Every structure is written in C-alpha cells, then in structure tokens.
Amino acid sequence: MYGIVQGILDWININSQELWEEMLCLKGLIVFLLAVVDAFQAWCGPCKTVVDLFRKIRNEVGSDLLHFAVAEVDSIDALEKHRGRCEPVFLFYAGGELVAVVRGVNAPLLQKTILEQLAVEKKVLEHGGERVVVISH
C-alpha cells in the first residue's frame, strides 16, 4: 500500500511501479476528483517550492476534491520519459487518466491548471461531460 509523506502538506508517496499501478487503476487516485503528481528524480527530490501554493489551493477547494502525490520517476517504468530532466513536472490525473501536464515551477499556471481541471472534472461527474485525456506529453 502507498504511504503518506507527513509534513506541511500530506503527499501520497509513490515509489514503485506496483504502487503507481495501484494508485491509478485500483483504488487510489481514481477515487479522487483530481490528483496532482510531482514527478521527481531521486537526485533532486520533490519540489518544495510549491508546497504553500498547493496547501492554499487544497484549503480553498477542500481536501476531498484534490490530492497531491510525489512519484519517483527512477523507480516507475510508466514515468521513464521524465528521467534525466532538470525541470519539475506536474502530472494531473482525473478518473485514472492523465488530463494535463505542467513543466517547471510556474505558480500562476499551476493554480490555473488545478482550478480548470477541477471545474472540468466536476462537469464530467455531474453532467456527463467529456474528459480530455493527454495522449503525448
């Protein structure tokens, strides 16, 4: 089972392919309205710069709607394409599907993307709207 990284903000810690698949396919991220995953490499660790922003947004929208996770790309085959890069990558998942990607620490863009994706996902769940899935990132 996955663990929670305690600290300023509780993050779901994903550090293996098995945990990644469990989170996306079985009972983890798929039950949340929106999950933001900080895909990081072991040598640099998760992005600490955005913790305050994420805490603020999560407090505004509610903890039941929005969850954050950190995923070590070096240990997860599905995230292999993100290995060897210097910039932070934030992956947005809804319904177990990748719906957005933000590269780099751009607080206004991260906030905008989170709020937009939450609005889209609410429409999908309440009115049967269409979820746009990111094919290539």
Side-chain angles (χ1 to χ4, degrees), residues 49-61:
T49 307
V50 297
V51 171
D52 287 337
L53 171 68
F54 287 170
R55 183 183 341 107
K56 174 184 174 271
I57 294 170
R58 187 167 171 189
N59 287 339
E60 289 173 3
V61 301

Side-chain angles (χ1 to χ4, degrees), residues 60-77:
E60 289 173 3
V61 301
S63 61
D64 292 339
L65 301 177
L66 180 63
H67 289 272
F68 298 96
V70 292
E72 185 179 328
V73 300
D74 303 311
S75 304
I76 302 169
D77 294 337

Side-chain angles (χ1 to χ4, degrees), residues 9-10 18 44 89 106 113 131 135:
L9 180 70
D10 291 343
E18 293 77 22
C44 66
V89 176
N106 180 334
T113 304
R131 180 183 297 124
I135 303 297

Side-chain angles (χ1 to χ4, degrees), residues 33-49:
L33 192 56
L34 182 69
V36 180
V37 179
D38 176 0
F40 72 94
Q41 295 182 76
W43 60 266
C44 66
C47 184
K48 294 181 175 101
T49 307

